Amino acid sequence: MIRLAALFCGLLCGTGLMLSGLFQPALLQGFLTPDGPRDLTLGIGLLSVLGAGVLVLALTHRLSRPLLGGQDQALAGAPTGKALLGGVLFGFGWGLSGYFPLAAIVATGLFAPGAAIFLASMLAGMFLHDIGANGGRFRLDRLRSSG
């Protein structure tokens, strides 16, 4: 059941991404540039994400276990320095390139210039982090689904 829910959510997100055009780096770069062209699509997309997240949290915050099974992966405590640094690096990568991970996958499939380079660089960074965090070993078990 959890895989069907993940499939549905992925299809919903991908469809929205394609319809809105949010895979185009010009939207983000225009939004971040002081004199850039303004397009409300990005803001509406971000507000939609925020609204959906608030709705899900409001409906599920009293559950004692995950609705579709699996393990509860709630965050505990304040963010660590490592998490904050990761967020800052993610934000700089997103802002400089104009791509976020899902948009890079879509844009690579559409043969957008630079998207494949961004995607390959992001995956290489994730791979190098995993090797460094695991004493020089890459752990394939992290790629397997637990659901």
Side-chain angles (χ1 to χ4, degrees):
M1 182 64 148
I2 196 165
R3 290 188 175 138
L4 285 176
L7 176 65
F8 172 75
C9 291
L11 290 172
L12 182 66
C13 186
T15 301
L17 191 67
M18 290 300 294
L19 289 174
S20 67
L22 286 176
F23 60 89
Q24 301 172 17
L27 283 175
L28 179 66
Q29 291 165 344
F31 186 79
L32 294 176
T33 307
D35 60 343
R38 296 288 178 238
D39 187 342
L40 293 179
T41 307
L42 180 64
I44 292 170
L46 292 174
L47 284 175
S48 299
V49 168
L50 184 63
V54 167
L55 179 65
V56 167
L57 285 175
L59 294 174
T60 62
H61 79 282
R62 293 179 189 234
L63 295 177
S64 61
R65 61 181 182 83
L67 188 62
L68 297 176
Q71 296 177 355
D72 188 6
Q73 298 180 359
L75 297 175
T80 64
K82 185 177 172 182
L84 292 173
L85 176 63
V88 168
L89 291 174
F90 177 81
F92 273 114
W94 186 9
L96 291 172
S97 69
Y99 289 114
F100 60 97
L102 179 60
I105 293 169
V106 171
T108 298
L110 296 172
F111 303 106
I117 294 169
F118 171 81
L119 189 59
S121 301
M122 181 188 70
L123 292 173
M126 292 166 65
F127 180 74
L128 291 172
H129 169 269
D130 201 46
I131 288 174
N134 293 303
R137 294 182 319 251
F138 180 67
R139 292 180 42 202
L140 286 175
D141 62 326
R142 292 186 54 165
L143 300 176
R144 295 186 192 115
S145 173
S146 62

